[in-house]
């Protein structure tokens, strides 16, 4: 069983999950604390506690992007939103299976709500990429996201910057850009907001709830 270090204490992942679900998570891990996960392909990633959804659920996001860039869609469109995107398929079918089984089985489904072509869609995923609201809070570049709130770890621009091998990357968010039918919102290399056409390959930094 993989051991993790939180607040200078080595514990099992099962212990961390149990502490969070019992309402005692803050005793072990707080916003900004992180722990390492070795993926099945050998890649080592850090999961950072972004904040608590409630007293019994913590939200985590990878500290940096995964080594492989990916696109949000195979065509230059955000039609279908994140729900029907290639980016979501990539997260659930390509990235999620890389997590050790004990981790993936402990992820709590995150409720997500999205308006597509005037119709509200509600669904839940155990692994996802952050929304624009998760990172930037409320804004006018994207539609209202009632499933999201700004995470503590993203309140400063410098803390939104993600790297791979010492290089800063642009990275995708799951929010369609409201000003275009072609783009999704991204985080720029300096931690500011931007947008890109969906076919561009950018960084992916997924998140999960425990």
């Amino acid at each position: 069983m993989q051991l993790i270090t939180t607040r200078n204490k080595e514990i099992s992942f099962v212990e961390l999950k149990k502490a969070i679900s019992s309402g005692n998570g803050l005793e072990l891990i707080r916003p900004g604390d992180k722990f390492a996960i070795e993926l099945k392909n050998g890649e080592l990633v850090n999961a950072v506690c972004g904040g608590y959804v409630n007293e019994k659920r913590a939200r985590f996001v990878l500290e940096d992007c995964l080594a492989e860039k990916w696109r949000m869609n195979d065509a230059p469109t955000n039609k279908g939103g994140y729900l029907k995107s290639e980016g979501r398929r990539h997260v659930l079918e390509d990235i999620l299976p890389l997590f050790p089984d004990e981790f993936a089985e402990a992820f709590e489904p995150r409720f997500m709500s999205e308006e597509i072509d005037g119709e509200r869609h509600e669904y839940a995923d155990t692994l996802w990429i952050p929304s624009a609201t998760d990172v930037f809070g409320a804004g006018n570049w994207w539609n209202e996201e009632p499933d999201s709130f700004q995470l503590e770890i993203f309140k400063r621009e410098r803390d939104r910057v993600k790297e791979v091998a010492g290089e800063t990357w642009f990275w995708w968010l799951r929010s369609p850009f409201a000003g275009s039918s072609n783009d999704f919102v991204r985080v720029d290399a300096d931690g500011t907001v931007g947008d890109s056409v969906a076919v561009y390959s950018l960084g992916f930094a997924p998140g999960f709830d425990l």
Side-chain angles (χ1 to χ4, degrees), residues 162-178:
K162 297 196 179 295
E163 298 184 350
V164 175
E167 177 186 353
T168 55
W169 278 14
F170 290 62
W171 52 288
W172 280 124
L173 301 177
R174 62 178 170 85
S175 307
F177 177 47

Side-chain angles (χ1 to χ4, degrees), residues 171-186:
W171 52 288
W172 280 124
L173 301 177
R174 62 178 170 85
S175 307
F177 177 47
S180 168
S181 60
N182 300 324
D183 297 10
F184 282 82
V185 181
R186 72 175 188 222

Side-chain angles (χ1 to χ4, degrees), residues 86-136:
E86 163 61 18
R88 180 174 180 245
R89 184 215 64 77
H90 176 58
V91 168
L92 294 176
E93 296 182 15
D94 300 334
I95 299 176
L96 179 59
L98 295 176
F99 280 82
D101 294 344
E102 66 174 309
F103 284 83
E105 290 168 3
F107 295 165
E108 294 288 346
R110 176 180 176 175
F111 165 79
M112 292 187 280
S113 178
E114 188 173 13
E115 186 174 314
I116 303 172
D117 296 329
E119 182 179 350
R120 178 64 59 180
H121 294 263
E122 297 180 350
Y123 55 104
D125 290 346
T126 54
L127 193 71
W128 32 264
I129 54 174
S131 69
T133 305
D134 286 342
V135 177
F136 297 105

Side-chain angles (χ1 to χ4, degrees), residues 7-8 25 32 52 54 76 100 109 126 143 155 179 187 205:
R7 304 199 68 75
N8 300 316
Y52 279 74
N54 55 53
T126 54
N143 293 328
K155 291 189 174 179
V187 182

Side-chain angles (χ1 to χ4, degrees), residues 21 25 33 41 51 55 65 67 73-74 80 85 93 107 116 126 129 141-142 144 151 163 167 173 183 204-205:
S21 61
D33 290 347
N41 63 359
E55 64 178 10
C65 296
N73 269 323
D74 294 326
S85 69
E93 296 182 15
F107 295 165
I116 303 172
T126 54
I129 54 174
W141 284 36
W142 51 91
E144 183 182 3
L151 297 175
E163 298 184 350
E167 177 186 353
L173 301 177
D183 297 10
F204 270 63

Side-chain angles (χ1 to χ4, degrees), residues 41-66:
N41 63 359
E43 187 172 354
L44 190 65
V45 299
N46 287 324
V48 183
C49 179
Y52 279 74
V53 180
N54 55 53
E55 64 178 10
K56 296 184 178 181
R57 179 182 288 238
R59 185 153 289 167
F60 295 80
V61 178
L62 295 193
E63 181 178 29
D64 287 310
C65 296
L66 295 169

